[in-house]
Amino acid sequence: MSTKIITVSREFGSGGRTIGKEAAQRLGVPYYDKELVKQVALESGFDPKFIEEHGEFAPGKSRFAYAFLNSTFPGTINNLSAADFLWTIQYKVIRELAEQGPCVIVGRCADYILRDRSDCLHTFIHADMDFRSDRIVRLYGESEASPEKRLMDKDAKRRVNYRHYTDREWGMAQNYHLTLNSGVLGIERCVQLLVELAQQG
Amino acid sequence: MSTKIITVSREFGSGGRTIGKEAAQRLGVPYYDKELVKQVALESGFDPKFIEEHGEFAPGKSRFAYAFLNSTFPGTINNLSAADFLWTIQYKVIRELAEQGPCVIVGRCADYILRDRSDCLHTFIHADMDFRSDRIVRLYGESEASPEKRLMDKDAKRRVNYRHYTDREWGMAQNYHLTLNSGVLGIERCVQLLVELAQQG
């Protein structure tokens, strides 16, 4: 395997984003998370016509509430919900970013979107509830009232979203080349493992 | 984390057993797979009375066919099927082996049995169907007719057995500290990763 692209899926609060960002920095490659991918998509000037021409990427209509793109593109677009519209754009953007060269991509089902490429290292970062609860309270200023509920809600949303768009189970080891418990192994060691595997690849 | 014990769960044909055995050799610690654990259990002279006294380890009656212990202990033992009887013995044996010191244990739901210990590295090894098919035909002399079917059967049995005795999903990343795709990463690199993590632990 020659690794050029690392994808990082993660449980909320596990430090997956931090691990991906730090690994990208040490490897000297671009880092993209879902916000950056969204921004790139919008700045790229994609419009509904583009989506019409690339409808084969659309995985079907979402049953979920119309998402944050609604403010930009109200209602449905070529019978796609806003969530599906965004998925379609991001699918295309992630494919194109991968074509540009080595990078780290966090989130957005990138492991699935790039599953046919042989130059990727697909990873999943998770941790126990205590580790994640402590982390989101400490770093994100989340309410201490029920960080566990917040974690379970976020995990559930990611699980449902992943299943909807990929028809696979979120967190199944078989979807990834490497999965790590960041709470047990430590954030720093997880970064090192990603960097070593990418460099040796 | 101070790692003394490595548990290795694995898909059939993924090389998990080979990886665990080689890692144990390099670390200079004992290696136990399910056959060895079974042998230790039988040689230890466990008998039905022992099981009676340690009934709290029994996870309930198995719905599955009476297993290979039937020839030794026909029928049921204190209302345990032979499969559950063996599970109960092996549960105890694995706990005791872990008490004796650093080791590598492959199979037998050892990740679950030792889940409360903080000195374990729980791992899961898997690989794509092509890699595993080629491997079982080449190494185990499996029939080339339908190695995929053989793999799916073995995986299904392990999945059902794991779910029955642990109430967890086999192969879920969250059950393990580290999962590796041996087909993509390579057997040798998987061995190195286990050894490094155990030594650094």
Side-chain angles (χ1 to χ4, degrees), chain A residues 11 126 171 173-174 176-177 179 181, chain B residues 11 126 171 173-174 177 179 181:
Chain A
E11 287 184 339
H126 62 96
Q174 287 87 342
Y176 312 97
H177 300 145
T179 80
N181 181 322
Chain B
E11 287 184 339
H126 62 96
Q174 287 88 341
H177 301 144
T179 79
N181 181 321

Side-chain angles (χ1 to χ4, degrees), chain B residues 60-181:
Chain B
K61 282 192 277 187
S62 171
R63 282 174 298 166
F64 304 111
Y66 289 74
F68 47 94
L69 255 193
N70 271 355
S71 56
T72 315
F73 305 102
T76 60
I77 302 148
N78 194 29
N79 283 329
L80 292 178
S81 73
D84 288 353
F85 178 67
L86 179 62
W87 162 266
T88 308
I89 292 176
Q90 291 194 338
Y91 189 109
K92 174 79 173 164
V93 167
I94 286 173
R95 297 288 301 184
E96 289 181 349
L97 289 174
E99 282 298 318
Q100 288 175 19
C103 61
V104 175
I105 305 174
V106 173
R108 295 318 299 169
C109 311
D111 58 294
Y112 174 81
I113 292 170
L114 302 176
R115 67 194 180 285
D116 61 334
R117 292 184 67 114
S118 61
D119 57 353
C120 295
L121 179 71
H122 298 305
T123 71
F124 180 78
I125 311 292
H126 62 96
D128 299 339
M129 194 60 85
D130 287 351
F131 176 85
R132 297 192 289 140
S133 293
D134 174 68
R135 202 165 170 281
I136 64 171
V137 169
R138 189 162 40 84
L139 297 185
Y140 301 161
E142 297 278 346
S143 158
E144 284 188 57
S146 60
E148 292 81 3
K149 187 177 180 307
R150 168 91 170 135
L151 287 170
M152 285 189 285
D153 285 351
K154 290 282 277 187
D155 288 348
K157 281 180 184 164
R158 285 184 182 167
R159 187 179 306 115
V160 168
N161 181 71
Y162 189 82
R163 189 187 294 138
H164 177 73
Y165 286 110
T166 71
D167 203 23
R168 307 199 300 193
E169 284 300 313
W170 188 70
M172 280 299 289
Q174 287 88 341
N175 298 340
Y176 312 97
H177 301 144
L178 174 78
T179 79
L180 300 168
N181 181 321

Side-chain angles (χ1 to χ4, degrees), chain A residues 1 11 121 124 126 170-181 184-185 189 193 196-197 200-201, chain B residues 1 11 121 124 126 170-174 176-181 184-185 189 192-193 196-197 200-201:
Chain A
M1 181 181 66
E11 287 184 339
L121 178 71
F124 180 78
H126 62 96
W170 188 69
M172 280 300 290
Q174 287 87 342
N175 298 339
Y176 312 97
H177 300 145
L178 175 76
T179 80
L180 301 168
N181 181 322
V184 168
L185 300 175
R189 187 164 300 169
L193 285 170
E196 283 170 22
L197 286 170
Q200 293 166 6
Chain B
M1 181 180 65
E11 287 184 339
L121 179 71
F124 180 78
H126 62 96
W170 188 70
M172 280 299 289
Q174 287 88 341
Y176 312 97
H177 301 144
L178 174 78
T179 79
L180 300 168
N181 181 321
V184 169
L185 300 176
R189 188 162 303 170
Q192 288 169 4
L193 285 169
E196 282 171 23
L197 286 170
Q200 293 167 7

Side-chain angles (χ1 to χ4, degrees), chain A residues 54-115:
Chain A
H54 296 78
E56 71 268 28
F57 291 125
K61 282 193 275 187
S62 170
R63 284 174 298 164
F64 304 112
Y66 289 73
F68 46 93
L69 254 194
N70 271 354
S71 56
T72 315
F73 304 102
T76 60
I77 303 147
N78 193 29
N79 283 329
L80 292 178
S81 73
D84 287 354
F85 178 68
L86 179 63
W87 162 265
T88 310
I89 293 177
Q90 291 194 337
Y91 189 111
K92 174 78 173 164
V93 167
I94 286 172
R95 297 288 301 182
E96 289 181 350
L97 289 174
E99 282 298 319
Q100 289 174 21
C103 61
V104 175
I105 305 174
V106 173
R108 295 319 297 170
C109 311
D111 58 293
Y112 173 81
I113 292 170
L114 302 177
R115 67 193 180 284

Side-chain angles (χ1 to χ4, degrees), chain A residues 126-152:
Chain A
H126 62 96
D128 298 340
M129 194 59 85
D130 288 350
F131 176 85
R132 297 193 289 139
S133 293
D134 174 68
R135 202 165 170 281
I136 64 170
V137 169
R138 190 162 39 85
L139 298 184
Y140 300 161
E142 297 277 346
S143 158
E144 285 188 57
S146 60
E148 292 82 5
K149 185 176 180 310
R150 168 91 171 136
L151 288 169
M152 284 188 286

